[in-house]
Amino acid sequence: MDFFEVLRRRRSIRVFEAKEVEEYLLERLLKYTFFAPSSRGRRPWHFVVVRNRKTLVALSRAKRGGGARGLEGASAAIVVVARERESGVWIEDLSVASTYLLLIAEALGLGAFWIQIRGRVREDGEPSEEYVRRLLKIPEGFRVLSIIALGHPGEEKDPHTDDEYMPKRVHREVW
Ligand SMILES: Cc1cc2nc3c(=O)[nH]c(=O)nc-3n(C[C@H](O)[C@H](O)[C@H](O)COP(=O)(O)O)c2cc1C
């Protein structure tokens, strides 16, 4: 698929078919994500790939409200993690990596959506990050930004359209 078509078609897919994501697609998704830019080229990211159904269901309870609920039906999740001391801008580095994951997933014909973990809390007020770290045995000093839920798409959404462009938000030369 043409790159601009990928950008148009990428939507948050939260409903998935009951079909596993093939291992070679996951491999390709992860490999191309390592081509993402990062501050000083440090690539501080780590990815935890989860396929176990019970763990996916547990992760779907990682935050208050319904924001992670779609993980219940996902066939995989990629938890996006960095060692905090490896990059002073780990949030930006992991945001870029998360965006790459979403776009590459689209190019591979997979559905995906971003689940925000950093700065979020669970129903009982526990920080979502601590819950995910405990569940997945992520060591001290590592931070969790997001979870990318993945699967074969079980819903269709309209592609983005030109009318979403907001020229008034673009300031030229000066504000
Ligand atoms: C930083 C960030 C955090 C997000 N957090 C969540 C989330 O926790 N749960 C969720 O269902 N979607 C989440 N999203 C997806 C947005 O809701 C979605 O991208 C937005 O509504 C636009 O829709 P589209 O992705 O279909 O274009 C997040 C997206 C970003 C960039």
Side-chain angles (χ1 to χ4, degrees):
M1 203 190 315
D2 169 59
F3 181 64
F4 294 98
E5 202 54 23
V6 171
L7 294 175
R8 271 186 195 280
R9 293 197 167 277
R10 186 220 53 81
R11 296 294 315 277
S12 294
I13 297 299
R14 302 183 178 88
V15 180
F16 303 97
E17 275 184 18
K19 180 183 165 198
E20 290 301 312
V21 170
E22 294 79 351
E23 193 55 39
Y24 80 93
L25 289 178
L26 262 185
E27 274 294 312
R28 205 177 286 176
L29 176 61
L30 289 160
K31 183 175 82 183
Y32 282 91
T33 299
F34 275 81
F35 301 163
S38 61
S39 174
R40 299 179 180 170
R42 285 201 175 144
R43 294 185 284 195
W45 46 68
H46 289 251
F47 302 102
V48 185
V49 179
V50 176
R51 282 179 172 285
N52 179 278
R53 172 102 345 252
K54 276 195 186 147
T55 314
L56 290 171
V57 171
L59 285 174
S60 77
R61 315 279 191 259
K63 64 189 291 188
R64 182 179 285 168
R69 219 30 69 71
L71 268 174
E72 282 178 1
S75 77
I78 298 180
V79 183
V80 182
V81 180
R83 187 198 283 270
E84 191 168 12
R85 71 158 199 259
E86 246 177 78
S87 169
V89 290
W90 64 272
I91 296 173
E92 290 82 350
D93 289 339
L94 292 191
S95 298
V96 173
S98 300
T99 306
Y100 262 57
L101 286 167
L102 294 178
L103 290 170
I104 299 162
E106 175 62 37
L108 294 173
L110 297 172
F113 74 102
W114 177 317
I115 297 158
Q116 180 68 21
I117 294 300
R118 187 190 67 85
R120 297 291 186 256
V121 292
R122 303 188 68 216
E123 297 295 351
D124 64 0
E126 182 188 17
S128 302
E129 228 188 304
E130 277 177 28
Y131 173 77
V132 171
R133 291 220 342 256
R134 191 171 69 244
L135 187 69
L136 303 180
K137 303 181 169 43
I138 296 170
E140 280 292 315
F142 287 81
R143 302 293 305 267
V144 182
L145 180 92
S146 65
I147 302 175
I148 305 300
L150 284 171
H152 287 281
E155 62 175 341
E156 260 189 47
K157 289 190 174 176
D158 292 336
H160 291 285
T161 56
D162 288 350
D163 59 16
E164 291 172 57
Y165 175 47
M166 293 186 269
K168 286 210 168 89
R169 293 282 184 92
V170 181
H171 310 274
R172 297 191 189 258
E173 311 301 344
V174 292
W175 186 274

